[in-house]
């Protein structure tokens, strides 16, 4: 896999330009983009920067984080608070993501998306109102373990960290086996459309975009 140095600004502008020229794969009128990476990677900031670049192009954008779709504590901690297998397969409510975020953006869907469902601090439902993404709009969903679920993304970006960088920057080291399992079972660098090497947050490098704008 060949990586080319790039700045975050040029990267997000190039992704936005590519997305702006992309047609939804399901024949609908809304795009779904996944920004995948461990919490130690800047997935949220990358999604926000891409969103800003898209809005400058006149697109309606909704940014959603998977941290708003955690399962209740009673389910997350069923096998203890630091079980990496539970973290990998049981912390995030993928069913709710399908139902409340991705499904409504199918061709002919309502476009009504729930931006978050569960507050892990209070361990209660957020009760956030639905947001309608209009035709021509773009969803940017960011968070860990997004690949391997058959989510209907029109483009996926994986922020890659080497094992050493991931270990150095991860605040919860007990989660590291979950990311090792993700690498082994899903292979996000092979599965994603775009891979960004983010070991040094000041100096990213990427694989580029097929048919897109490069630096």
């Amino acid at each position: 896999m060949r990586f080319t140095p790039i700045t975050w600004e040029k990267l997000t502008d190039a992704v936005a330009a590519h997305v702006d020229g992309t047609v939804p794969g399901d024949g609908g009128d809304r795009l779904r983009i996944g920004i995948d990476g461990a919490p130690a990677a800047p997935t949220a900031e990358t999604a926000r920067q891409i969103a800003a670049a898209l809005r400058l192009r006149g697109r309606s954008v909704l940014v959603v984080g998977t941290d708003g779709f955690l399962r209740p504590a009673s389910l997350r901690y069923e096998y203890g608070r630091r079980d990496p297998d539970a973290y990998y397969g049981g912390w995030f409510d993928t069913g709710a993501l399908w139902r409340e975020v991705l499904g409504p953006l199918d061709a002919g869907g309502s476009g009504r998306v729930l931006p978050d469902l569960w507050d892990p601090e209070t361990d209660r439902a957020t009760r956030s109102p639905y947001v309608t993404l209009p035709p021509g709009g773009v969803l940017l969903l960011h968070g860990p373990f997004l690949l391997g679920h058959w989510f209907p993304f029109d483009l996926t970006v994986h922020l890659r960290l080497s094992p050493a960088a991931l270990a150095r920057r991860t605040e919860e080291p007990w989660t590291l086996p979950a990311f090792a399992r993700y690498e082994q079972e899903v292979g996000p660098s092979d599965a994603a459309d775009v891979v960004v090497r983010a070991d040094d947050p000041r100096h990213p490098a990427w694989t580029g975009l097929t048919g897109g704008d490069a630096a």
Side-chain angles (χ1 to χ4, degrees), residues 4-107:
T4 302
I6 192 171
T7 66
W8 286 109
E9 182 179 9
K10 289 182 177 181
L11 188 153
T12 53
D13 284 346
V15 172
H18 182 86
V19 170
D20 197 33
T22 298
V23 176
D26 67 349
D29 48 20
R30 300 174 180 91
L31 289 164
R32 293 168 285 199
I33 312 301
I35 311 297
D36 174 71
T43 57
E45 180 60 25
T46 302
R48 284 193 290 267
Q49 290 181 8
I50 295 172
L54 283 167
R55 291 183 182 115
L56 288 175
R57 294 172 174 270
R59 303 296 291 265
S60 295
V61 185
L62 178 62
V63 178
V64 175
T66 59
D67 54 358
F69 286 84
L70 291 172
R71 289 191 169 99
S74 60
L75 298 177
R76 298 199 310 275
Y77 302 147
E78 183 178 2
Y79 301 102
R81 290 179 173 268
R82 296 187 175 187
D83 186 290
D85 290 327
Y87 176 65
Y88 177 65
W91 274 42
F92 297 94
D93 195 340
T94 55
L97 287 169
W98 274 102
R99 183 178 66 252
E100 304 289 1
V101 179
L102 298 164
L105 305 183
D106 285 342

Side-chain angles (χ1 to χ4, degrees), residues 171-195:
E171 295 181 358
E172 300 287 349
W174 63 269
T175 64
L176 292 173
F179 294 106
R181 180 178 169 188
Y182 185 52
E183 287 289 336
Q184 182 179 15
E185 295 184 0
V186 176
S189 293
D190 295 323
D193 298 307
V194 181
V195 181

